[in-house]
Amino acid sequence: MKLRTVLVLVLAGSMWQGSLVLASPASAAPVGEFTTFAPVLGGSSDPESIAAGPDGAMWFTEYASNKIGRLTPSGELTHYPVPTAGSLPFGIAAGPDGAMWFTEWTGNKIGRITMGGVVTEFALRTNGASPAGITAGPDGAMWFAEKASNKIGRITMDGVMTEYAVPTPGANPESIAAGPDGALWFTERTGNKIGRITTAGVVTEYDVATADSAPGGIAAGPDGAMWFTERTGNKIGRITTAGVVTEYPLPKAAADPEGITAGPDGAMWFTEASGNRIGRITMAGQISQFPLPLSNAGPKGISAGPGGDVWFTQVAGNAIGRITSSGVITNTALPGAGVNPTSGLASGPDGAMWFVGRTGNNIIRVSATGAIKEFEIPTVDAEPLGIAAGPDGAMWFTEWAANKIGRITMDGVITEFSISSDVASPAFIAPGPDGAMWFTEWTGNKIGRITMDGVITEFALPTIGAVPSGITAGPDGAMWFTERFGNKIGRITMDGVITEFLVPTPGAIVLRIAPGPDGAMWFTETNSNRIGRITIDGVITEFPAIAAGSSPRSIQWGPDGAMWFTEANSNRIGRIAMDGVVTEFTVPTPSSVPFGIAAGVNGSIWFTEADASRIAYIGTGRGTMVTAAITGRAAVGSTLKCNRLNDSAWTVASTSRVWLRNGKVISGATGRSYTVRSKDSGKNISCRVAVTFKPAFNQMGARAKAVKVQ
């Protein structure tokens, strides 16, 4: 296990005094005052899709930095900002007008950029459509997939748009390409189909033989057929224009094939996002694989380019790569590279904050003094996403790409548990009232449960293609979760009975959920730009009073009795009172993309800045929530007591304690009292308290000031 310690700097506000010793309540940070830690690593552009331009250069989307990039074969790199802030540019393709056209995932627009960098944007007709793949059609227009709205769109060179519904509900069309038959062909990520649409809008769908294969990229091949990737099926697919499907399994498991393109050598080339390779398949189905020089690069988009090479994006590696037909790879690094701290953030039983580094492939701990420790995950390219404190005194986390649940102790020992479903894509995780951890499976479309000894049970959702996301325990003894594309709030009892409640706003993309002080559940609507509230009996209220295009992501019950949430696109932290009144606070770091959120023991709200690779907190007006202190005489034979004070308004579910000798845990010493032993003579004795609160079973910890045994 690799361990690295980095001291973080205070840029604004003030940190606690001393080390992780909370003997008395700290002064309350003013409401809205930010404290920001300097980056662990620099920011990242997250290059997503790539395509050859008419100018002989490669053009690509920079998903995280909100730019369009241009790279010449000689290595000259130019960046053009997208006018709409936080638009998350996604797909890109050359148009018949000599310009490049691209999609804006959360900007909900189609963009056009000239060779001179002039950008024009066209708003989509359907709100919250989440446009993804884009291609030039045989009719002189651009065609694109609307993943969230389940439609195929068409835009003329002067911006006139038409939309066509995909017959299969919740199909999530993603990639699209022109076929040799004068039609457009597209993949249905959760529909598990390949679609074909004529220029007149007539849609035909063809089933993929492998169940839940998650078709991803698609491209026309030199043999007159369409070739596509199966991300969870771990195969390359081929479909004739008559709809006959053939599948070719990849030699290595869990490769996660994503993008695909026809190469200049008469073969198809594809990316392996988790396998960290570039693949090549001949028309006869013979497969070759080429490992990338950059570890954990996360290759995604791919396109043939000038000079007979194939070019590709590396999302996690923050680079553009190119490979010759003989397999020689060259990389061009983009400015900055980050750990990409996303949604995973939680308070630990040790009084520290724990979060995941998705592209850094690590679990990170930040102490009260701002000292950061990073623990590398054993599985390469695991892509950790969610994290939460468990009832066993450890932190539990999801490994989205590795298909595992991880557990890390306070001293950094990691254990991993594989999920039985082939590709579950575990997303977020939370403790349940039954002493187990519960998690969502994006691709598996299930709710999972794992006991402390690693036994996993899975429960399938009634709604196909729901993509469950956030999850938490509710005040009714059940687990509540969001269905990102199912557009529902779900509830599952401890024996697996599931109930679903439809969110009133179509295409809302409900993301995270948390219990509130009013006995209801509160959730974020990323696309519809709302905060939602659902009572235990399923009555939903929506509050739209937040900044336009803010894209709320995570939400947390704050120590001040309000709900706090992150606004990824508007770069703000929001607060909503129980009467629906919203206040917003701008994050000091520009374009930081605040994402995960959690309450800390210092009474503040902590959050991650995904693009700035920072961890920060904002004051709520409250002081330290939990403190610990030792009473008694520090002498051999005497009894010491470990006292805790709960200064929060939350209900305590349980309290656990551990005693420490010179900072090391004393085996078996977990009671409120401790009798000093002869071996303690001359040593420093301390105790650590962890308090679990209802109803979410979140934890906060404190460590008492040590006493020296005489």
Side-chain angles (χ1 to χ4, degrees):
M1 176 180 54
K2 178 182 177 182
L3 174 62
R4 183 157 64 104
T5 303
V6 182
L7 286 178
V8 285
L9 306 175
V10 179
L11 299 186
S14 59
M15 289 295 298
W16 300 336
Q17 298 299 311
S19 60
L20 192 58
V21 178
L22 305 179
S24 59
S27 58
V31 177
E33 179 181 311
F34 286 90
T35 302
T36 304
F37 300 112
V40 179
L41 294 172
S44 177
S45 69
D46 285 7
E48 181 76 23
S49 301
I50 192 167
D55 60 345
M58 300 303 295
W59 291 72
F60 56 95
T61 54
E62 299 184 38
Y63 187 80
S65 59
N66 204 52
K67 298 174 183 176
I68 301 299
R70 176 184 182 271
L71 180 64
T72 67
S74 62
E76 181 183 346
L77 185 62
T78 312
H79 304 271
Y80 302 96
V82 176
T84 299
S87 70
L88 302 186
F90 195 89
I92 192 167
D97 59 344
M100 302 300 293
W101 291 71
F102 59 94
T103 59
E104 300 180 21
W105 179 267
T106 55
N108 209 53
K109 298 176 182 179
I110 301 298
R112 175 187 183 271
I113 183 169
T114 66
M115 297 302 96
V118 178
V119 177
T120 309
E121 296 174 296
F122 305 91
L124 267 61
R125 299 174 62 179
T126 302
N127 292 328
S130 298
I134 189 169
T135 191
D139 57 347
M142 300 300 293
W143 290 73
F144 53 94
E146 298 182 14
K147 192 166 184 177
S149 62
N150 209 49
K151 299 176 182 178
I152 300 298
R154 175 186 184 271
I155 183 171
T156 64
M157 296 303 96
D158 54 1
V160 177
M161 289 194 192
T162 313
E163 294 174 309
Y164 304 94
V166 175
T168 299
N172 296 146
E174 185 168 294
S175 298
I176 189 168
D181 57 346
L184 287 305
W185 291 74
F186 58 93
T187 56
E188 300 182 15
R189 191 77 161 203
T190 53
N192 205 51
K193 299 177 182 179
I194 302 299
R196 175 187 184 271
I197 184 170
T198 67
T199 53
V202 179
V203 178
T204 309
E205 296 173 298
Y206 303 94
D207 290 325
V208 176
T210 300
D212 300 320
S213 68
I218 191 168
D223 59 344
M226 302 300 294
W227 291 72
F228 58 94
T229 58
E230 299 180 23
R231 186 164 185 179
T232 59
N234 206 53
K235 300 175 182 178
I236 300 298
R238 175 186 182 271
I239 183 170
T240 67
T241 53
V244 178
V245 176
T246 309
E247 296 173 294
Y248 303 92
L250 296 183
K252 296 185 179 180
D256 197 11
E258 186 68 62
I260 192 167
T261 189
D265 57 345
M268 302 300 293
W269 291 74
F270 56 93
T271 55
E272 298 183 16
S274 295
N276 206 52
R277 295 178 289 261
I278 299 299
R280 176 185 182 270
I281 183 169
T282 66
M283 296 303 95
Q286 183 177 353
I287 296 174
S288 305
Q289 295 169 300
F290 305 93
L292 296 184
L294 294 177
S295 61
N296 306 330
K300 195 163 187 183
I302 193 167
S303 173
D309 293 337
V310 174
W311 296 67
F312 55 94
T313 61
Q314 297 169 82
V315 177
N318 204 50
I320 302 298
R322 63 175 171 179
I323 182 170
T324 67
S325 57
S326 60
V328 178
I329 297 173
T330 308
N331 285 317
T332 300
L334 301 181
V339 295
N340 191 217
T342 51
S343 297
L345 174 68
S347 175
D350 58 345
M353 300 301 294
W354 292 73
F355 61 102
V356 300
R358 186 170 182 183
T359 58
N361 204 55
N362 52 9
I363 302 299
I364 305 166
R365 174 189 183 273
V366 57
S367 73
T369 58
I372 287 181
K373 288 184 179 179
E374 301 177 60
F375 304 91
E376 186 174 325
I377 296 173
T379 300
V380 176
D381 298 328
E383 290 194 41
L385 195 57
I387 192 168
D392 59 344
M395 303 300 294
W396 290 72
F397 57 93
T398 58
E399 299 182 22
W400 187 81
N403 211 50
K404 298 177 181 179
I405 300 298
R407 174 187 183 271
I408 182 170
T409 64
M410 295 302 96
D411 53 1
V413 178
I414 294 178
T415 310
E416 296 173 295
F417 304 92
S418 296
I419 299 173
S420 58
S421 297
D422 288 340
V423 183
S425 301
F428 298 106
I429 191 166
D434 59 344
M437 302 299 292
W438 292 72
F439 57 93
T440 54
E441 299 182 13
W442 275 11
T443 306
N445 207 52
K446 300 174 182 177
I447 300 299
R449 175 186 183 270
I450 183 169
T451 63
M452 295 303 95
D453 54 0
V455 178
I456 295 177
T457 311
E458 297 171 292
F459 306 92
L461 297 188
T463 300
I464 297 173
V467 188
S469 186
I471 190 167
T472 188
D476 57 343
M479 301 300 293
W480 289 73
F481 57 92
T482 59
E483 298 184 16
R484 184 173 180 145
F485 293 140
N487 209 52
K488 298 175 182 177
I489 300 298
R491 176 186 182 272
I492 182 170
T493 63
M494 296 302 95
D495 54 0
V497 178
I498 295 175
T499 311
E500 297 174 303
F501 305 94
L502 184 66
V503 175
T505 301
I509 301 194
V510 284
L511 194 60
R512 300 299 297 276
I513 189 167
D518 58 347
M521 306 299 295
W522 292 71
F523 56 92
T524 56
E525 299 182 18
T526 298
N527 264 21
S528 60
N529 219 50
R530 292 180 165 96
I531 300 298
R533 175 187 182 271
I534 182 170
T535 63
I536 301 307
D537 55 0
V539 179
I540 295 178
T541 309
E542 295 173 294
F543 303 93
I546 54 179
S550 65
S551 188
R553 298 297 173 93
S554 302
I555 192 165
Q556 167 72 44
W557 177 359
D560 59 340
M563 302 302 294
W564 291 74
F565 55 94
T566 53
E567 299 181 18
N569 289 358
S570 61
N571 206 51
R572 299 176 182 178
I573 301 299
R575 176 188 185 273
I576 183 168
M578 295 302 95
D579 57 1
V581 176
V582 174
T583 311
E584 295 170 301
F585 307 93
T586 301
V587 177
T589 304
S591 303
S592 70
V593 186
F595 214 120
I597 198 167
V601 72
N602 64 338
S604 294
I605 292 293
W606 291 68
F607 58 94
T608 59
E609 300 180 20
D611 279 12
S613 286
R614 298 172 187 254
I615 183 84
Y617 65 74
I618 180 172
T620 65
R622 295 296 304 271
T624 300
M625 299 287 97
V626 175
T627 55
I630 294 175
T631 57
R633 183 167 172 262
V636 175
S638 296
T639 299
L640 300 177
K641 287 189 176 180
C642 182
N643 304 293
R644 67 107 172 127
L645 172 65
N646 171 32
D647 196 35
S648 76
W650 298 317
T651 302
V652 174
S654 63
T655 301
S656 63
R657 295 172 173 86
V658 292
W659 289 84
L660 306 99
R661 180 189 299 118
N662 284 351
K664 301 294 184 181
V665 173
I666 302 173
S667 179
T670 57
R672 183 178 178 184
S673 300
Y674 176 74
T675 301
V676 182
R677 310 167 189 177
S678 58
K679 66 174 64 176
D680 298 324
S681 182
K683 304 294 194 306
N684 290 318
I685 301 297
S686 182
C687 68
R688 191 171 65 210
V689 174
V691 180
T692 301
F693 298 101
K694 293 180 180 179
F697 298 95
N698 59 302
Q699 294 185 37
M700 289 185 178
R703 183 169 164 180
K705 183 178 180 180
V707 294
K708 189 170 183 177
V709 178
Q710 303 301 318

